[in-house]
Amino acid sequence: MAPPGDVETFDRFARFYDLFPVPTHPKAIRRAIDGRGGLVVDLGGGTGKYTNRVVPDRARAAVVDASREMLRRAARRRLPTIQAGADRVPIRDGTVDTVLCTEAFHHFAGIQDAVLDEVARILKPDGMFLLEEPDPTRLLGRLMRWGEHVQGWDSRFHPPDVLVKMLEERFGKVLKTKSGLFTVLLVAERPRL
Ligand SMILES: C[S@@+](CC[C@H](N)C(=O)[O-])C[C@H]1O[C@@H](n2cnc3c(N)ncnc32)[C@H](O)[C@@H]1O
């Protein structure tokens, strides 16, 4: 199946991607990951520039992305990579300690519910989900949304309270919400059955 339009654009612009600033909240994300151990899946992890920064031990990470060109760059960073759609991750049920998703969820338009189900499926009980997204209730977040729509991207942004509800449906409760200049970070855990 052909990848969604955004992915073709990421394939074309992969070589420039690392020139853009990294997402916010790196310290909070790194602290959360350090405190856990185990396998970290970076969903829509792209070139791995952020994975590299927040997962100190590369052997513990896997960058999952639909774009072959973005992943080629992640592989150059010696990060393990998996080319797959975020809604069909070839990883066994209940085997991942942390799923990280930064600046990517809005690109999963049309499959966002399926992606959240997939995150819940691969996480271990008590496994952690870290979701970082541009916040369209903030000026810079709105500008970003505008910029992506002008490019004709099919991105789908949600205000933080809507993201919280989406996560609560799968994970019971959101443990932490942290607002930044133009992004919001949500932390949730897969409940024990
Ligand atoms: C803005 S980049 C974010 C990359 C990285 N997480 C970061 O923070 O630097 C969005 C990434 O999502 C990927 N992506 C878009 N749609 C996808 C899908 N359906 N499945 C998997 N990856 C997808 C793109 O290829 C791209 O690498």
Side-chain angles (χ1 to χ4, degrees):
M1 196 172 70
D6 291 6
V7 173
E8 283 168 12
T9 313
F10 280 107
D11 270 335
R12 272 205 306 281
F13 289 100
R15 80 186 83 156
F16 305 112
Y17 185 78
D18 287 353
L19 300 175
F20 289 96
V22 295
T24 52
H25 306 297
K27 283 192 190 138
I29 292 178
R30 187 167 176 156
R31 257 198 314 273
I33 288 175
D34 274 353
R36 292 258 160 176
L39 178 64
V40 181
V41 165
D42 192 353
L43 200 57
T47 62
K49 70 172 176 182
Y50 203 55
T51 330
N52 227 13
R53 191 161 166 193
V54 296
V55 188
D57 176 7
R58 287 191 188 92
R60 278 179 54 196
V63 181
V64 175
D65 202 284
S67 160
R68 198 180 57 187
E69 292 305 314
M70 294 290 271
L71 286 181
R72 254 164 33 110
R73 279 152 180 88
R76 278 191 209 149
R77 294 190 151 105
R78 287 181 287 124
L79 285 159
T81 61
I82 300 173
Q83 188 180 5
D87 56 336
R88 289 165 186 222
V89 181
I91 292 180
R92 275 186 291 137
D93 297 3
T95 52
V96 174
D97 297 272
T98 300
V99 174
L100 171 67
C101 184
T102 60
E103 308 282 321
F105 191 68
H106 55 281
H107 292 289
F108 305 153
I111 56 166
Q112 287 176 332
D113 284 325
V115 171
L116 292 179
D117 289 342
E118 195 67 344
V119 171
R121 182 186 69 75
I122 64 173
L123 275 177
K124 290 179 180 171
D126 288 344
M128 177 171 61
F129 181 38
L130 295 162
L131 175 65
E132 200 232 31
E133 269 290 282
D135 178 351
T137 67
R138 295 185 172 252
L139 178 65
L140 282 174
R142 276 201 294 281
L143 276 174
M144 220 173 135
R145 181 176 61 184
W146 175 81
E148 294 204 3
H149 288 167
V150 164
Q151 290 184 70
W153 286 5
D154 183 27
S155 341
R156 181 113 199 261
F157 296 83
H158 300 284
D161 59 323
V162 174
L163 286 176
V164 166
K165 281 202 187 101
M166 291 170 87
L167 263 55
E168 279 174 351
E169 277 172 24
R170 273 92 186 169
F171 302 95
K173 109 173 172 207
V174 170
L175 304 178
K176 187 170 164 182
T177 307
K178 190 171 184 291
S179 282
L181 192 58
F182 67 100
T183 60
V184 61
L185 171 67
L186 307 179
V187 185
E189 262 179 12
R190 186 186 148 185
R192 282 192 171 273
L193 297 176

